[in-house]
Amino acid sequence: MKSRWNDADLTAQNDELDQLVYLSRLLGEDHSLVLLGGGNTSAKVRERNLHGEEEEILYVKGSGSSLEDVNRDSFSPVRLQQVLPLLALHGLSTPVLMNAFSCAMTRAKSPTPSIETLLHALLPFPFVTHTHADSLLAVGNTEHGEEHIRDVYGDDVLVVPFRSSGFDLAQCCAEAVRRKMTSKTAGIVLMHHGIFAFGANAREAYERMIALVSRAEDYLKANQAWELPQKQGSPRHQQGLEIAALRQAVCRQGNNRPFILTVDDSPTALAFASRPDVADISQQGPATPHHAIFTKRVPLLGRDVAAYGDSYRRYLAALTGAVERIDGAPRIVLDPELGLCAIGVNAFYADAAAEVYRHTIDIISRASALDRYRALPAGEILAAEVEYGGFEHKVRDDERRPLSGQIVLVAEAASPFGQACSQALLSRGAAVVGLDKSRDVATLFPPPAYLGMACDTQAPAAIADALETAARRYGGVDHVVAPANFPLTLLQPFLALSPVTNRVVLTDNDPKHLEQALAKLVGQGLHANALRLAGNGAAAGGKLAAEMCGPLFEKSSNSLIEINK
């Protein structure tokens, strides 16, 4: 791992907070160090209060912020003299601790300070960094993890046993600092969690982190535990309907709510899913509890989703109220033919689960090559999974996005009407698959909720290929917006596997064509609406399309509607 610090990126006008933003982004941009809000950084700054008195302020990353895109407002200013005395107390619960942090802030509208604020506060250095580095976890999450950590670092770091983030961890670290820290101490390793590094200035804190992580990488390489197994997939056959069936089963276990399912069949994912020891290494748990927020504790092996749900609910029963907060559906599926399948309440969280588990694969594979992978006991992971349930409900209950988890195919998506419909559907939380002959369709809207493909919408072979891609990207198709002459028979097998009530919106300027097509679909049991794009409808119907798109996909009407200006 190379330092990317460049003094030229900073000017003489950059204060400590600017430097903190810079080093945070450098760390956050490397996802082998931190993922999806993980990790945190801080700086201690002397400022004058309203009375003109100078006091020391800890600027610490706000809870949930992503290091790679922080700005000055992402950091919470906390009075050090107000939080440090907390260490002398006993048994503070997390809610009490977080309230104390909030009460110590100098700016009321700042984000909630990190749960590890007290740990940042107690370290006697101006700048502190904390990451969940993959290579560090690969070395430490093993049967002889602490021995390996000692081999890597000697006395250059303090080693602290696992404690859940919060008051207990801060007190444990405070004791280690008091008893063992010396002038040569460059960091603290938190077993099954991550690593802290610190320095007298921003550059020193950053480069110490890079140097410490590099030593873990070098150790893995020296022990032939760096290269990841690879497996080339056989020539891809049509698996779209298998993927859609898997998604349907997942949604049933997820309290019959729709999910997005994305497939990674890379050589690394296929090799991991096909390992003869995958049942042993994958079922121990994640590399660190933070990962379970997105992936749950263990993946499903194979495709028996119902059996996974039964087993998972029994596991959740150990914690009162957990079953009510979290469903029985997996968030990760490992299958030797499909590779890695990741599930989320929308496209963003499906991609998040996939990225987290790709890093989990790297960590477990390297740990297994070094020694024998060892995760934390299940009880230590459960709290993170309950936290997952909390944020998932918040996403589900967002009234502005009632179509979250649902997938809509829009044919002729590059037309003015198609673009208006796609925009309306995306704004209501849907994932949109846009098809059009125009190559512009690929870049109409940003990922991850939009997938645009250049495709002849009257060519069955081209549509079949597009459906295969859509299934791998999102898990299938639930609804369709298409011209009346679109070959819907190709989509019907996917619609039959949808976890939600299908709705089809047909467009044409000929009312007779629309009435015939509408009657045919209603006769097949589909919920359909027909939009007659009369007069200026095709060109000027964007606003109306946007207004109607939500209701058309949330209610059943089986009606013919005219858009004429």
Side-chain angles (χ1 to χ4, degrees):
M1 182 169 286
K2 302 292 185 183
S3 169
R4 296 188 296 117
W5 187 278
N6 186 350
D7 284 330
D9 293 334
L10 296 169
T11 69
Q13 287 71 46
N14 289 130
D15 61 12
E16 294 100 324
L17 190 52
D18 290 326
Q19 296 170 40
L20 179 61
V21 169
Y22 178 63
L23 82 85
S24 299
R25 289 182 176 179
L26 288 181
L27 294 174
E29 288 164 3
D30 188 335
H31 289 193
S32 71
L33 293 174
V34 290
L35 287 170
L36 300 163
N40 35 67
T41 55
S42 69
K44 299 177 180 73
V45 180
R46 301 200 69 83
E47 295 181 344
R48 292 193 179 277
N49 60 26
L50 292 175
H51 303 288
E53 301 164 337
E54 192 174 76
E55 58 184 355
E56 197 165 17
I57 304 299
L58 173 73
Y59 280 89
V60 64
K61 191 200 80 166
S63 181
S65 301
S66 175
L67 282 176
E68 67 181 316
D69 55 17
V70 293
N71 55 41
R72 291 174 65 95
D73 291 336
S74 303
F75 293 88
S76 306
V78 178
R79 294 183 181 90
L80 265 182
Q81 66 180 11
Q82 195 166 331
V83 297
L84 280 174
L86 297 172
L87 284 168
L89 302 178
H90 300 283
L92 291 186
S93 68
T94 295
V96 170
L97 185 68
M98 297 303 290
N99 182 66
F101 293 160
S102 295
C103 290
M105 290 198 303
T106 64
R107 193 171 60 234
K109 292 187 177 180
S110 293
T112 302
S114 166
I115 193 172
E116 284 156 351
T117 293
L118 196 52
L119 208 165
H120 283 263
L122 68 88
L123 290 169
F125 295 89
F127 285 85
V128 177
T129 64
H130 169 48
T131 72
H132 304 155
D134 290 358
S135 56
L136 183 281
L137 292 169
V139 172
N141 287 18
T142 52
E143 193 163 20
H144 304 93
E146 188 166 341
E147 295 176 29
H148 290 300
I149 293 294
R150 298 291 185 193
D151 286 345
V152 174
Y153 298 114
D155 295 329
D156 292 344
V157 302
L158 308 180
V159 181
V160 174
F162 178 80
R163 298 287 188 278
S164 294
S165 294
F167 189 68
D168 289 347
L169 175 61
Q171 282 202 320
C172 190
C173 289
E175 180 65 13
V177 167
R178 185 184 67 82
R179 293 177 53 243
K180 299 180 180 179
M181 179 171 277
T182 70
S183 59
K184 66 176 291 188
T185 302
I188 302 176
V189 170
L190 310 178
M191 296 301 293
H192 295 281
H193 182 156
I195 185 168
F196 274 79
F198 23 76
N201 54 59
R203 179 169 186 168
E204 183 178 55
Y206 167 77
E207 294 194 332
R208 276 185 174 177
M209 176 62 73
I210 298 305
L212 290 172
V213 174
S214 295
R215 288 166 71 173
E217 291 180 353
D218 292 343
Y219 185 79
L220 291 167
K221 292 172 183 176
N223 286 276
Q224 289 75 51
W226 184 255
E227 298 301 323
L228 299 171
Q230 306 285 299
K231 177 186 175 184
Q232 297 298 326
S234 56
R236 182 178 292 181
H237 61 284
Q238 294 299 104
Q239 295 176 313
L241 291 176
E242 296 176 39
I243 295 168
L246 177 60
R247 173 177 176 251
Q248 182 188 58
V250 166
C251 295
R252 285 174 179 163
Q253 289 298 315
N255 299 325
N256 293 311
R257 301 292 295 272
F259 289 91
I260 299 299
L261 183 153
T262 191
V263 176
D264 177 353
D265 59 357
S266 64
T268 302
L270 284 169
F272 190 80
S274 303
R275 286 179 65 128
D277 62 348
V278 68
D280 173 38
I281 58 177
S282 72
Q283 299 302 294
Q284 291 193 40
T288 186
H290 178 258
H291 290 181
I293 295 173
F294 303 96
T295 66
K296 292 193 171 179
R297 189 178 74 87
V298 296
L300 164 64
L301 301 182
R303 305 185 196 181
D304 191 343
V305 182
Y308 179 97
D310 291 341
S311 174
Y312 190 73
R313 280 185 286 271
R314 288 194 296 272
Y315 156 72
L316 289 178
L319 186 66
T320 302
V323 174
E324 289 72 26
R325 288 175 60 80
I326 311 175
D327 60 66
R331 295 303 183 270
I332 297 294
V333 178
L334 297 175
D335 182 87
E337 293 181 355
L338 298 175
L340 163 64
C341 304
I343 295 116
V345 292
N346 56 29
F348 174 85
Y349 284 109
D351 284 2
E355 182 173 18
V356 168
Y357 208 80
R358 280 191 284 268
H359 285 267
T360 299
I361 287 174
D362 293 355
I363 293 165
I364 294 178
S365 298
R366 288 170 176 150
S368 299
L370 175 66
D371 187 352
R372 182 176 174 81
Y373 177 68
R374 284 287 180 263
L376 286 167
E380 300 286 2
I381 307 298
L382 191 53
E385 294 178 278
V386 174
E387 182 179 344
Y388 178 99
F391 94 74
E392 184 177 84
H393 282 294
K394 186 176 180 180
V395 175
R396 289 284 196 200
D397 295 339
D398 186 348
E399 295 181 354
R400 299 167 301 172
R401 290 172 172 73
L403 297 177
S404 288
Q406 301 184 45
I407 307 150
V408 186
L409 184 145
V410 179
E412 298 190 0
S415 69
F417 177 78
Q419 291 188 52
C421 274
S422 297
Q423 179 64 68
L425 290 162
L426 289 166
S427 70
R428 299 179 78 85
V432 173
V433 177
L435 305 184
D436 200 284
K437 287 183 178 180
S438 170
R439 295 189 178 277
D440 293 342
V441 71
T443 56
L444 291 176
F445 304 99
Y450 177 75
L451 171 65
M453 291 179 279
C455 172
D456 184 346
T457 56
Q458 294 301 311
I463 295 172
D465 288 344
L467 290 173
E468 181 76 11
T469 301
R472 291 179 178 278
R473 183 66 186 93
Y474 297 132
V477 175
D478 298 317
H479 314 292
V480 186
V481 180
N485 61 350
F486 185 81
L488 280 170
T489 52
L490 292 170
L491 279 97
Q492 286 176 330
F494 285 94
L495 298 178
L497 292 169
S498 168
V500 299
T501 300
N502 309 125
R503 293 186 171 86
V504 178
V505 177
L506 300 176
T507 62
D508 205 309
N509 59 6
D510 187 324
K512 186 175 181 180
H513 288 169
L514 281 175
E515 289 172 358
Q516 291 173 345
L518 182 62
K520 183 177 179 182
L521 291 178
V522 172
Q524 295 171 348
L526 292 171
H527 296 274
N529 291 280
L531 300 182
R532 183 187 175 211
L533 305 180
N536 293 325
K543 184 175 184 295
L544 279 173
E547 292 173 350
M548 296 163 57
C549 220
L552 288 178
F553 283 91
E554 293 152 33
K555 299 178 182 178
S556 302
S557 60
N558 295 331
S559 59
L560 177 62
I561 304 164
E562 182 171 296
I563 293 181
N564 187 355
K565 188 166 181 177

